[in-house]
């Protein structure tokens, strides 16, 4: 199961005091919750391409959303996770958002809902958009819709997956269930908004001058004069937090339906469950909104794994892991042929013992040669121009105080820097980039 744009605002991860996620909490309780899991890239397309192929952005050249990942010379013939399962006799089907919307991958599936080319069902859209009153806001919008749950795309994806679990399968199966919320726009049924009265929601703890010690490339990623300024000017911070929380609880309900169906199915006792989100999300921290940055809010995502007969209920693992580790984990768990090109590391030792030694940091990359490394204690960021940030999570979990330029941290930085990737291949040409056209402005797709 994949959840789009879900940060650590999940009850069991403790990222937000108000959030209600009973079903995600229940799923985490069934197995191992990774509390220090990070994406390979803080954007949908590169994160998902990396997760599904096991190859780092710095090796493939897929760094941003407009990069057509199958055009990467490295990923052109890459065998994705479901393809590898199919090669071992499994059926592989899926529904909803697993790959970034612009670049579905029919080679990965035998059947897909709603279709191989259109991976995501439509959602109801309110009339009179935007609902938040911000001019030219596009999908950066939020507010309740008066429709039953059944009209929501994610509800339909869950229903389709439930129907797959209700089938009699003759072969082992790989089933992918991709949910779209809490991706923007935050239009979900009214009852979820009513769970979070805006005057009562807790706003993120934000330091107004937090960017003062951040190098220029980082400040440019944050764009304080963009979304944040608009949200403040239009008095929308509380309503935005409400919209994100409402969207999370809506998707939590969808997750719960699928878990219930699995538990009631003949496959309850021999099905491995992996639930992940593709990256985190800022809601004003560092005066930044959305993902597209290398701080904790953007890189930290959700990962839980349940393996019947192996994981024990209620376990937690604090080791820094990444989404890249999912592919080799599944290979080991399901006895598939090893693939030496994969750049992640199997999580099986941690599934057996969450306190086992791990010995490597989590790497996140945003754009060519901008990297972040996370250990249990440190976050180290190095941008393409050599500028740096260093945060000590033992004393500064909000990453407010950049220690990179303080004397005394040279050895720490050196120890971390040896984990930076040795190659940083150029970005592959973006979709449509070659045709320098006379057509009207080609709006670069930065959404999702
Ligand atoms: Ca996403
Ligand atoms: Ca700061």
């Amino acid at each position: 199961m994949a959840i789009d744009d879900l940060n650590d605002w999940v009850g069991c991860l403790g990222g937000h005091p108000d959030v209600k996620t009973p079903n995600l909490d229940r799923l985490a309780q069934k197995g191992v919750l990774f509390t220090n899991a990070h994406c390979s890239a803080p954007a949908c397309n590169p994160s998902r391409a990396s997760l599904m192929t096991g190859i780092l952005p710095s090796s493939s050249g897929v760094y941003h959303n407009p990069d057509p990942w199958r055009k990467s010379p490295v990923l052109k013939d890459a065998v994705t996770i479901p393809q590898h399962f199919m090669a071992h006799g499994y059926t592989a089907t899926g529904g909803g958002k697993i790959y970034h919307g612009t670049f579905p991958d029919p080679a990965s599936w035998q059947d897909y809902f709603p279709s191989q080319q259109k991976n995501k069902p439509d959602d109801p859209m309110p009339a009179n958009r935007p609902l938040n009153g911000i001019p030219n806001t596009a999908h950066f919008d939020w507010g309740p819709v008066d429709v039953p749950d059944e009209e929501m795309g994610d509800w339909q994806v869950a229903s389709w997956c439930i129907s797959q679990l209700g089938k009699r399968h003759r072969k082992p199966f790989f089933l992918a269930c991709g949910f779209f919320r809490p991706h923007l726009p935050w239009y979900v049924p009214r009852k979820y908004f009513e769970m979070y009265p805006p005057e009562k929601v807790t706003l993120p703890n934000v330091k107004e001058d937090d960017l003062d010690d951040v190098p220029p490339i980082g400040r440019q990623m944050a764009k304080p004069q963009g979304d944040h300024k608009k949200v403040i000017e239009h008095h929308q911070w509380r309503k935005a937090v409400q919209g994100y929380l409402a969207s999370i609880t809506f998707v939590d309900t969808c997750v719960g339906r699928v878990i219930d169906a699995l538990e009631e199915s003949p496959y309850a006792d021999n099905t491995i469950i992996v639930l992940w989100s593709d990256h985190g999300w800022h809601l004003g921290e560092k005066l930044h909104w959305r993902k597209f940055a290398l701080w904790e809010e953007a890189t930290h995502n959700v990962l839980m794994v349940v393996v019947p007969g192996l994981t024990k209920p209620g376990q937690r693992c604090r080791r820094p892991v990444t989404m890249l580790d999912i592919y080799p984990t599944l290979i080991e768990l399901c006895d598939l042929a090893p693939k030496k090109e994969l750049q992640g590391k199997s999580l099986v030792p941690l599934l057996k013992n969450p306190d086992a030694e791990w010995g490597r940091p989590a790497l996140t990359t945003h754009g060519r040669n901008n990297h972040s490394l996370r250990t249990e204690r440190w976050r180290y960021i190095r941008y393409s121009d050599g500028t740096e940030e260093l945060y000590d999570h033992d004393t500064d979990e909000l990453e407010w105080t950049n220690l990179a330029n303080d004397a005394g941290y040279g050895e720490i930085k050196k120890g971390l820097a040896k984990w930076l990737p040795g190659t940083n291949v150029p970005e592959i040409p973006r979709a449509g980039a070659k045709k320098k056209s006379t057509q009207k402005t080609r709006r670069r797709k930065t959404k999702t």
Side-chain angles (χ1 to χ4, degrees):
M1 271 187 276
I3 303 183
D4 204 0
D5 285 21
L6 177 61
N7 65 13
D8 66 359
W9 290 15
V10 178
C12 56
L13 284 172
H16 196 283
D18 306 337
V19 74
K20 297 177 179 73
T21 53
N23 295 294
L24 285 163
D25 298 346
R26 171 163 68 104
L27 181 61
Q29 195 59 29
K30 283 168 75 88
V32 179
L33 171 67
F34 288 89
T35 60
N36 197 6
H38 300 269
C39 56
S40 297
C44 300
N45 178 52
S47 171
R48 290 158 184 262
S50 167
L51 188 155
M52 296 296 280
T53 62
I55 304 293
L56 286 167
S58 49
S59 299
S60 68
V62 178
Y63 295 106
H64 296 290
N65 281 341
D67 302 344
W69 63 273
R70 277 293 193 191
K71 299 267 169 71
S72 154
V74 177
L75 300 187
K76 193 162 77 66
D77 300 314
V79 176
T80 63
I81 297 175
Q83 284 180 300
H84 202 42
F85 274 94
M86 282 192 277
H88 288 78
Y90 283 66
T91 313
T93 61
K97 184 171 174 178
I98 295 296
Y99 296 105
H100 182 51
T102 326
F103 307 118
D105 190 48
S108 287
W109 318 103
Q110 285 152 313
D111 188 21
Y112 213 84
F113 174 82
S115 79
Q116 284 279 22
Q117 290 304 331
K118 184 176 184 291
N119 285 182
K120 176 189 166 301
D122 292 328
D123 278 310
M125 297 291 267
N128 306 319
R129 299 189 303 274
L131 300 181
N132 62 13
I134 300 178
N136 306 314
T137 194
H139 71 168
F140 190 65
D141 193 20
W142 37 83
V145 285
D146 290 303
V147 299
D149 285 343
E150 291 77 5
E151 284 187 30
M152 300 296 294
D154 285 335
W155 195 272
Q156 292 159 20
V157 168
S159 300
W160 181 85
C161 288
I162 291 166
S163 74
Q164 298 301 300
L165 293 169
K167 281 187 183 167
R168 193 190 166 94
H169 292 267
R170 294 181 198 286
K171 294 191 341 181
F173 61 92
F174 180 97
L175 175 62
C177 176
F179 293 124
F180 185 69
R181 292 274 134 55
H183 193 288
L184 289 166
W186 297 325
Y187 304 142
V188 295
R190 186 174 298 277
K191 65 182 175 195
Y192 299 101
F193 274 79
E194 286 174 346
M195 292 179 188
Y196 302 102
E199 66 279 7
K200 286 192 189 153
V201 297
T202 307
L203 293 186
N205 190 3
V206 173
K207 187 172 185 283
E208 280 302 314
D209 62 354
D210 196 2
L211 290 171
D212 287 2
D213 58 358
V214 167
I217 293 181
R219 285 205 296 274
Q220 211 173 348
M221 287 177 184
K223 296 190 190 71
Q225 298 305 310
D227 296 328
H228 192 63
K229 189 160 172 267
K230 286 188 219 165
V231 168
I232 299 300
E233 277 175 6
H234 291 269
H235 309 287
Q236 282 293 315
W237 205 346
R238 289 184 169 279
K239 287 203 166 165
V241 169
Q242 176 193 30
Y244 191 61
L245 291 168
S247 300
I248 291 170
T249 299
F250 164 70
V251 83
D252 178 83
T253 309
C254 296
V255 168
R257 293 179 61 219
V258 177
I259 306 169
D260 287 345
L262 177 60
E263 284 176 349
E264 289 158 16
S265 79
Y267 315 111
D269 297 330
N270 66 350
T271 300
I272 295 164
I273 309 172
V274 179
L275 181 141
W276 51 268
S277 67
D278 59 348
H279 46 70
W281 231 82
H282 283 248
L283 287 98
E285 301 93 343
K286 288 210 163 44
L287 317 186
H288 178 51
W289 288 73
R290 317 191 201 213
K291 46 268 189 172
F292 311 129
L294 289 170
W295 302 296
E296 184 76 3
E297 289 82 6
T299 75
H300 190 198
N301 57 353
V302 182
L303 177 64
M304 23 185 113
V305 182
V306 182
V307 186
L310 181 74
T311 53
K312 295 181 197 72
Q315 290 189 308
R316 287 172 176 235
C317 178
R318 291 176 296 123
R319 302 288 184 247
V321 301
T322 75
M323 300 302 104
L324 209 61
D325 302 326
I326 292 174
Y327 197 160
T329 305
L330 292 175
I331 285 180
E332 187 174 352
L333 289 172
C334 300
D335 274 327
L336 311 186
K339 291 181 69 63
K340 63 178 186 327
E341 68 272 31
L342 301 186
Q343 294 177 295
K345 184 176 165 182
S346 169
L347 299 166
V348 170
L350 298 177
L351 296 173
K352 289 179 179 161
N353 172 15
D355 296 320
E357 286 301 314
W358 183 240
R360 61 194 236 163
L363 169 70
T364 304
T365 300
H366 183 46
R368 189 183 184 192
N369 209 6
N370 298 310
H371 302 291
S372 163
L373 292 162
R374 182 74 158 84
T375 66
E376 277 174 56
R377 178 164 179 189
W378 304 98
R379 174 178 301 280
Y380 174 60
I381 296 173
R382 190 154 83 186
Y383 297 107
S384 54
D385 62 355
T387 54
E388 302 167 303
E389 292 169 57
L390 179 72
Y391 299 101
D392 182 352
H393 273 258
D394 277 3
T395 56
D396 181 21
E397 62 174 16
L398 298 175
E399 300 183 344
W400 279 355
T401 306
N402 178 12
L403 304 168
N405 301 316
D406 289 21
Y409 293 97
E411 285 305 306
I412 299 285
K413 288 197 297 183
K414 220 168 112 188
L416 289 162
K418 70 173 200 272
W419 292 96
L420 293 168
T423 48
N424 291 279
V425 304
E427 185 178 356
I428 63 166
R430 295 183 169 193
K434 269 185 196 155
K435 302 174 207 149
K436 220 174 245 168
S437 64
T438 52
Q439 294 168 28
K440 279 195 212 152
T441 354
R442 190 185 296 278
R443 287 183 61 199
R444 181 192 291 170
K445 283 216 161 174
T446 47
K447 65 176 190 177
T448 53

